[in-house]
């Protein structure tokens, strides 16, 4: 099981997102951590494309809306960014847990680790770390059995 992968360029990060997307079945909660500019939104965009989102539909940072939904992908994708969330109680207004209960979204949540108790049961934490202009270290922490199998499937990228 890879604990981390070195991505020398954007294409390598896209390949990781594609390999992950291939194994998703719906209903996963994936937390993305890493500094601003590390590539969390970039990763989710690649995930959306790998799940079949048409290039004509932009995947932008949900910095202000906090949650974007892409129901038109192979598996419906929910993309959240909780950076601006001050209080965990505000999560209630976003209805994320409720939305996850209604639709088996693949939920990709930036800055969700601190609030993970309120996010149902996360499967995987993906941490991105910039080691150069276009180099990223991507590490994986599975939080569920399914998360472990998702990470195991990335072995082929080593
Ligand atoms: N190997 C790489 N993987 C991911 N992003 C990269 C890589 N190299 C350069 N980048 C750039 O880094 C930036 C990451 O921005 P973004 O995804 O918005 O970060 P975050 O959501 O973590 O704040 C993008 O402009 C992307 O093009
Ligand atoms: Mg972002």
């Amino acid at each position: 099981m890879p604990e981390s992968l070195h991505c020398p360029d954007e294409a390598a990060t896209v390949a990781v997102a594609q390999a992950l997307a291939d194994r998703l079945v719906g209903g996963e909660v994936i937390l993305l951590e890493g500094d601003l500019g590390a590539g969390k939104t970039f990763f989710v965009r690649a995930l959306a494309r790998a799940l079949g989102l048409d290039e004509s539909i932009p995947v932008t940072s949900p910095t202000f809306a906090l949650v974007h939904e892409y129901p038109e992908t192979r598996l419906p994708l929910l993309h959240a960014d909780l950076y601006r969330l001050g209080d965990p109680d505000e999560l209630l207004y976003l209805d994320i847990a409720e939305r996850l209960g209604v639709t088996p979204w693949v939920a990709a949540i930036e800055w969700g680790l601190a609030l993970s108790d309120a996010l149902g049961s996360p499967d995987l934490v993906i941490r991105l770390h910039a080691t150069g202009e276009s180099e990223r270290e991507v590490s994986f922490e599975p939080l569920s059995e399914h998360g472990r199998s998702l990470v195991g499937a990335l072995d082929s990228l080593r």
Side-chain angles (χ1 to χ4, degrees):
M1 180 184 290
E3 283 175 7
S4 70
L5 292 169
H6 178 69
C7 296
D9 52 28
E10 291 184 351
T13 305
V14 169
V16 176
Q18 284 172 341
L20 182 66
D22 285 347
R23 299 300 176 119
L24 295 174
V25 296
E28 287 90 354
V29 177
I30 298 169
L31 306 177
L32 293 118
E33 299 291 314
D35 293 341
L36 288 174
K40 301 179 294 299
T41 298
F42 181 93
F43 190 93
V44 178
R45 184 179 302 119
L47 205 57
R49 298 288 176 235
L51 289 172
L53 188 72
D54 195 88
E55 289 283 348
S56 65
I57 302 173
V59 177
T60 57
S61 175
T63 312
F64 297 103
L66 301 185
V67 183
H68 290 166
E69 293 179 349
Y70 303 94
E72 53 281 270
T73 39
R74 172 173 73 78
L75 302 167
L77 176 70
L78 181 149
H79 180 197
D81 184 336
L82 305 183
Y83 185 71
R84 287 163 53 91
L85 209 66
D87 188 315
D89 289 346
E90 291 176 42
L91 256 188
L92 291 176
Y93 297 104
L94 296 177
D95 288 338
I96 292 182
E98 198 190 337
R99 293 193 222 196
L100 297 181
V102 175
T103 306
W105 299 99
V106 172
I109 304 178
E110 301 182 38
W111 301 104
L113 192 56
L115 301 162
S116 58
D117 285 349
L119 292 170
S121 45
D123 292 289
L124 179 62
V125 184
I126 300 178
R127 293 188 173 83
L128 292 119
H129 177 65
T131 51
E133 180 83 13
S134 64
E135 283 178 40
R136 300 292 185 271
E137 206 65 32
V138 186
S139 65
F140 308 92
E141 183 191 348
L143 300 177
S144 72
E145 205 49 54
H146 181 50
R148 246 179 298 283
S149 76
L150 290 173
V151 176
L154 301 176
D155 265 342
S156 60
L157 293 170
R158 304 210 88 180

